[in-house]
Amino acid sequence: PFYVNAPYGIILIHNGNLTNTREIEKDLFSKDRRHTNSASDTEMLLNVLATELQYQISGTEFSPESIFKAVESLHQRIQGSYATIALIAGYGLLAFRDPFGIRPLIIGKRKNESNRTDWMLASESLVIENNDYQIVRDVEPGEAIFISYDGEFFSKQCSNNPQLFPCSFEYVYLARPDSTMNGISVYQARLRMGDMLAKTIKKEINSGEIDV
């Protein structure tokens, strides 16, 4: 995770790859007056979020709505894939997904010993299930989730034109086969891809007697 101390103090992780890093790096330096310590696109994403949140809370109190407006502005500046989770010191947890839902992000919940709701967000369903959480749903493309330290759950669509275009490599290679993403079993998806490949081979070439 990367950290910035203002506003409030934010720690952020992200799964994906940004595609306009040159423009972001230039704008962070010349417009936002922010200095990054690495070439990591995660650090750039964090600093864009911090800049937009600082702008939203200037002269006002922190609120979920200010968070969501900051994410709306971030979507307009950032290009690429990003499933993101951030902790905002003293306030709670923020998660958001790029407007195309390229990388997966799933919500889970459970009741704790005090009969209050604990929340969890992860890239794969098995992480949630293995920690005895119940899968609630996927974070929608372009959606932002904010969970306060008191356990209050807020969500808002922060993109004007969200569409689901998940990364195919999550199903081909990256994800564990016992995961479910975007409502699709990774294992079943791989079986279907094998079936389609076999049919294509049979149709396109004289394969002879294939025994393996």
Side-chain angles (χ1 to χ4, degrees), residues 15 17 21 24 55 68 71-72 74 105 112 132 178 180 191:
N15 173 26
N17 299 92
T21 53
I24 297 169
Y55 177 77
F68 296 144
V71 174
E72 287 178 15
L74 179 143
L105 194 58
N112 60 29
D132 297 323
D178 47 349
T180 299
L191 290 180

Side-chain angles (χ1 to χ4, degrees), residues 172-185:
V172 174
Y173 179 73
L174 296 176
R176 286 240 322 218
D178 47 349
S179 279
T180 299
M181 299 182 302
N182 304 302
I184 299 170
S185 162

Side-chain angles (χ1 to χ4, degrees), residues 14 36 45 78 100 109 165 181:
H14 123 265
T36 53
L45 182 63
I78 300 291
F100 295 106
K109 70 176 182 179
F165 289 99
M181 299 182 302

Side-chain angles (χ1 to χ4, degrees), residues 15-51:
N15 173 26
N17 299 92
L18 308 187
T19 57
N20 62 333
T21 53
R22 291 183 179 179
E23 293 87 345
I24 297 169
E25 186 175 28
K26 181 179 178 181
D27 286 348
L28 284 172
F29 179 79
S30 61
K31 296 179 181 179
D32 303 325
R33 303 294 190 262
R34 283 184 173 266
H35 174 76
T36 53
N37 296 297
S38 72
S40 169
D41 53 0
T42 305
E43 188 181 16
M44 294 181 189
L45 182 63
L46 169 60
N47 276 274
V48 171
L49 174 64
T51 298

